[in-house]
Amino acid sequence: MALSIFELIAILFGLVALFGYINHKLLGLPHSIGLMVIALGAALALVAFELAFPATDVDGPVTAALRQVDFDDTLLKGMLSFLLFAGALHVDLTALRSRLAAISAMATLGVLISTFVVGTLSWLVFGLLGLDIPFIWALAFGALISPTDPVAVLGVLKTIKVPASVEAKIAGESLFNDGVGVVVFLIVVAIAAGGAHAEVGPLEVARLFAQEAGGGALLGAIAGYIAYRALASLDEHNLEIMITLALVTVTYALAQVIHVSGPIAVVVAGIFIGNHGVAYAMSEKTREHLLNFWELLDEILNSMLFLLIGLEVLVVRVDLISAEAALLAIPIVLLARFFGVSIPLSLLSLRQTFTKGAIPVLVWGGLRGGISVALALSLPEGPEKAPILAITYAVVIFSIIVQGLTFKAVVKRSLRGQEES
């Protein structure tokens, strides 16, 4: 029997509260990671019980309920806009400007380098394992797995102390490169699927890229300025919070209508409001209420997202070949991340200096998360989708749990003795 939307939300909130309580009392992990670990453990326990006692069909109702949640639509067209805006509110524009060259290079050139490195090496590995995935679809996998997830990255950054120069690069890149990654992914999938852009050349791809990324930034700046003017003319915190909610939803929806990048648009709008709006358009009372509201909303949506990532193992079915490919994909993605970070920074280091030890921190701190899973789920139906989804899920799980829980140690080891700059 299909559950109503209210019943689904009630179940998710109940699980978030229960698993959050268990994590707080027993595990003591960072909240989001703890939720995902417990959800993943519960899902695997259901799978194991089902294998041991197939007649019980214990995981059937849970799987059916999860299939009602359209993960890619829920994240890409629902949660993501709010999560990106909430994260962008806390980005220091001055720090961002001073590292703009590095952030831009990693979010554009770095994503493209990583896409082609992952795509090429994965295609070779898939072939050796007997996994028949054409090169263009391996490239699509490279595009969806290359952008770091701002939700996961910002969540981890809240729990550790990182030099300001490195933190600005990690946070800034994660907020922008997912928008760039989504654009690259859509172009590659359009070519792979033989759609309208199947025969386009490099100039047309560049035009589409500029339209999506540049148009998104322009839309975000215009929408942010309009909201800023409205906020500056008021001193009513409830109404001002409503204005920011309208800013996020209307901007993201309009971006989809005019075919520009919604993620980039809401990030630019969020940075604008988080700096100029908070400083010059709000009273102290409004500032406190608004930031507290967005912090709470960010925490709620983060919890929901990581819970869903953990439970998605019930939907993702993995065969032996896909499992082998997934294990090999993890070092491939890390290697591609190394190239995507080190090449742009090495080029920029010819005219500016960077914090010593920043590259390993940026590589290990490049967490993958829900965006990659959502993009994999959005792939058109075909023989390539199931293995790519399984491999993507494995990389994301490794990234959040292993990289997320060891990131603090990597920071201490790589930046030992570094001053904040």
Side-chain angles (χ1 to χ4, degrees), residues 116-137:
F116 280 95
V117 171
V118 171
T120 302
L121 294 181
S122 296
W123 178 66
L124 294 172
V125 167
F126 295 161
L128 291 174
L129 294 174
L131 204 56
D132 186 21
I133 295 180
F135 177 74
I136 191 66
W137 286 110

Side-chain angles (χ1 to χ4, degrees), residues 62-63 74 121 142 161 174 182 221 226 253 260 265-266 290 311 335 360 388:
V62 182
T63 303
T74 300
L121 294 181
K161 187 175 180 62
S174 69
V182 170
I226 293 171
V260 299
V266 294
L290 185 137
L311 293 175
L335 179 64
I388 288 177

Side-chain angles (χ1 to χ4, degrees), residues 114-289:
S114 177
T115 295
F116 280 95
V117 171
V118 171
T120 302
L121 294 181
S122 296
W123 178 66
L124 294 172
V125 167
F126 295 161
L128 291 174
L129 294 174
L131 204 56
D132 186 21
I133 295 180
F135 177 74
I136 191 66
W137 286 110
L139 206 59
F141 169 65
L144 68 87
I145 206 67
S146 289
T148 57
D149 189 288
V151 180
V153 171
L154 295 175
V156 169
L157 284 178
K158 291 177 185 176
T159 66
I160 62 175
K161 187 175 180 62
V162 181
S165 60
V166 179
E167 182 177 3
K169 293 186 187 75
I170 296 174
E173 182 211 3
S174 69
L175 284 167
F176 284 103
N177 73 2
D178 65 296
V180 174
V182 170
V183 174
V184 174
F185 171 79
L186 292 175
I187 292 172
V188 173
V189 169
I191 295 172
H197 303 300
E199 303 299 328
V200 298
L203 289 178
E204 180 64 12
V205 169
R207 186 195 68 77
L208 289 169
F209 186 85
Q211 173 187 316
E212 288 273 350
L218 179 61
L219 173 62
I222 293 171
Y225 179 75
I226 293 171
Y228 164 77
R229 297 296 299 179
L231 293 170
S233 66
L234 297 169
D235 187 17
E236 172 51 57
H237 65 269
N238 288 328
L239 180 55
E240 292 183 68
I241 290 171
M242 288 298 297
I243 289 173
T244 59
L245 283 169
L247 170 62
V248 174
T249 53
V250 173
T251 301
Y252 203 85
L254 183 59
Q256 293 180 318
V257 171
I258 63 176
H259 302 294
V260 299
S261 173
I264 291 176
V266 294
V267 165
V268 171
I271 292 173
F272 194 102
I273 297 300
N275 288 267
H276 295 291
V278 167
Y280 306 116
M282 300 175 192
S283 65
E284 183 63 35
K285 180 181 178 182
T286 297
R287 186 180 303 121
E288 182 180 353
H289 277 283

Side-chain angles (χ1 to χ4, degrees), residues 68 80 113 172 186 194 288 344 418:
Q68 284 187 245
L80 184 60
I113 290 171
L186 292 175
E288 182 180 353
Q418 295 292 323

